[in-house]
Amino acid sequence: MTGPVPDGDPAQASATRAVLGRGSLYTIATAGPALASLAVIPVVTRLVPVAEYDLVAVATVVVQVAFILVALGLGAAITRQYILDADGAAGARGVVIAGAVLASVVTAVLAATGPWWAPALLGRPFTTELLLALVAGAGGAWMVLSQSYLRGADRPGPFVALAIGASVVGPAAGLAAVAATERTAVVYLSGVVGGYLLAGAAGLVLVLRSGRPHLTRRGVVDALRVGAPTVPHQVSLYLALAGLVVIADRLLGDGGRANVALTIGAGATVVTAGLNNAWAPVVYRAAPADRGRVLDETSRVIALVAVVLAGGVALLAPWLVAVAAPAAYRPADLVPAVALACAAALPSVLYLASGHLVFARGRTAWLALSTPIAVGLGLAAAAGITAAAGLVGVGAGYLVAYLLLAVATTMVQRHVADRPWCPPSMLATVLLWVAATVAGALLPTAGTGALVRVGAAALLGVGGLLGVRRLGRRQSIR
């Protein structure tokens, strides 16, 4: 088992480099589904009718929620168990296998009860599209459990390969099938299912080949104790994005356009989630007395990276949206929603930073309450704004949800952590965040305004790179 790094070890001085270095690889895997969706959207929206794409958008939501739900939160516990638990790698392998079995059973139950919950939750009957989404969710759960083990083992290569298998192979097969046969959601989703099942099965094989599992009742119970409370936390967190698509679908009949806007706008939070795959193990491995310093150093740099990426996407949104969807989607109308969704990147960093200490302590029960409340309030805000002002409400709701998540998780962390942590002062980064968000939402999308957008994005990128290098030099001097 890999234990904590002693205080003063050179590894701690390079915490930021470790997060940005390894994290860049993990980001490829985490961003893979979003990037694949971004690449696929221009093709799918042109190959299938708008009504069929609405079915694809809703099914995609179900896939993402399903593999969080049926994995029972064990993914969150496996990495922690690998690094901090006495059973180490062997025990983590045992939990992966047990989790895969449990995920399959839960998926079967959800499929059998689909005619009951689908109309109530989605406003749609339980159709073949939703059944395919559940099957894809089971494969996704196997993959997530395996990736959690690989993250603890610090094996980003296989981690990335699994993500690419699910996010590239499946959609590619679906597109090929749609082009060759019927232009329907069922045909496209059949390819997506194949990609997830292939990646999930390959992940389980990788785990089994890495060593003999040590499966004990105590190990599974302890993992469920840490992981199960995170199920409402993780589902609610995903609903900060996916629930907005459902809101737009039900209030405006516009789930497809909302999905386009949020897929682009959530890009920066996807990057922070990718960095988190390297960030969490770095925090776990730090000596408890040194975790505050590690979080101070890493959160400053990650926050600046997130703001630069989010601001760049917000400023360049008119062109990104135009590439993602045809004129029938009225791309220019989606720009304010994209900019507001981008702004969630900064609070997402603060949310993740506090979450590390909650998971390291193993006291995750509070997250089962705080996260659903924060996300629920964000969705309520989105519903109100969407009903009054249209699709801009989905971007605003995404931002509100992450602001509340940052506050709520910091409060939980300060209640349960051995050494409570306060986020460091980042005034310049916050001012940059506000300026980029306002400019991205309000600047004209044509004429002089378009030129200002491009120039501001270029300045933001150059300034952000210099800022990250400066922070890195400061930390090296310390």
Side-chain angles (χ1 to χ4, degrees):
M1 180 181 69
T2 304
V5 178
D7 196 16
D9 190 285
Q12 288 304 321
S14 63
T16 298
R17 290 194 297 274
V19 173
L20 294 180
R22 294 284 193 183
S24 63
L25 297 175
Y26 286 116
T27 298
I28 295 172
T30 305
L35 293 174
S37 296
L38 199 58
V40 163
I41 282 175
V43 182
V44 175
T45 54
R46 289 165 172 83
L47 280 180
V48 302
V50 173
E52 289 293 315
Y53 183 71
D54 283 345
L55 291 173
V56 171
V58 174
T60 301
V61 171
V62 174
V63 172
Q64 299 298 321
V65 174
F67 76 65
I68 294 170
L69 181 63
V70 303
L72 301 176
L74 291 174
I78 288 166
T79 302
R80 180 186 180 278
Q81 184 173 29
Y82 191 108
I83 296 172
L84 298 175
D85 192 79
D87 286 341
R93 286 192 290 271
V95 175
V96 170
I97 302 307
V101 173
L102 291 172
S104 302
V105 172
V106 174
T107 299
V109 172
L110 288 174
T113 58
W116 299 342
W117 56 260
L121 294 179
L122 301 175
R124 295 175 178 271
F126 187 72
T127 59
T128 303
E129 291 87 355
L130 295 182
L131 177 61
L132 289 171
L134 288 179
V135 176
W142 301 345
M143 180 186 71
V144 166
L145 295 172
S146 304
Q147 285 180 315
S148 298
Y149 175 86
L150 295 169
R151 183 172 69 166
D154 197 20
R155 296 175 61 190
F159 187 107
V160 171
L162 293 180
I164 290 175
S167 61
V168 175
V169 174
L175 288 175
V178 166
T181 59
E182 291 184 286
R183 298 189 173 191
T184 65
V186 169
V187 172
Y188 173 72
L189 290 170
S190 297
V192 172
V193 169
Y196 274 111
L197 290 177
L198 178 64
L204 295 178
V205 171
L206 281 173
V207 171
L208 288 172
R209 291 185 63 182
S210 65
R212 186 174 181 178
H214 180 54
L215 179 59
T216 65
R217 182 176 180 274
R218 181 194 63 80
V220 175
V221 169
D222 286 349
L224 286 170
R225 178 181 57 79
V226 173
T230 72
V231 171
H233 162 73
Q234 292 181 69
V235 171
S236 298
L237 183 61
Y238 180 74
L239 288 178
L241 177 63
L244 295 168
V245 175
V246 175
I247 285 174
D249 184 57
R250 299 193 70 167
L251 292 182
L252 305 175
D254 234 351
R257 295 177 73 223
N259 191 57
V260 171
L262 290 169
T263 299
I264 297 171
T269 56
V270 171
V271 171
T272 61
L275 292 174
N276 189 55
N277 286 302
W279 195 9
V282 166
V283 176
Y284 293 166
R285 291 189 174 101
D290 206 33
R291 284 179 182 149
R293 179 184 69 80
V294 170
L295 280 174
D296 281 347
E297 292 183 358
T298 53
S299 60
R300 283 192 180 97
V301 177
I302 294 172
L304 180 56
V305 170
V307 167
V308 169
L309 289 174
V313 172
L315 289 165
L316 300 177
W319 298 277
L320 296 174
V321 176
V323 170
Y329 281 67
R330 303 190 301 279
D333 295 345
L334 302 182
V335 170
V338 172
L340 290 174
C342 285
L346 179 59
S348 78
V349 173
L350 301 180
Y351 149 72
L352 290 170
S354 284
H356 296 328
L357 297 181
V358 176
F359 279 95
R361 188 71 174 85
R363 296 180 61 184
T364 56
W366 282 100
L367 297 179
L369 180 64
S370 65
T371 304
I373 290 174
V375 171
L377 291 173
L379 293 177
I385 299 171
T386 299
L391 282 179
V392 69
V394 299
Y398 194 61
L399 172 58
V400 169
Y402 266 97
L403 286 169
L404 294 173
L405 278 168
V407 172
T409 309
T410 299
M411 292 174 62
V412 171
Q413 171 261 125
R414 292 188 59 78
H415 176 68
V416 305
D418 291 326
R419 292 173 174 82
W421 173 76
C422 287
S425 174
M426 298 181 288
L427 180 60
T429 300
V430 171
L431 292 176
L432 189 64
W433 171 66
V434 172
T437 301
V438 172
L442 299 182
L443 278 175
T445 61
T448 303
L451 294 176
V452 173
R453 282 178 176 271
V454 173
L459 287 174
L460 183 63
V462 172
L465 177 61
L466 293 175
V468 169
R469 293 181 64 181
R470 182 182 178 188
L471 286 172
R473 283 197 299 267
R474 281 184 181 178
Q475 292 171 12
S476 297
I477 293 171
R478 293 197 193 105

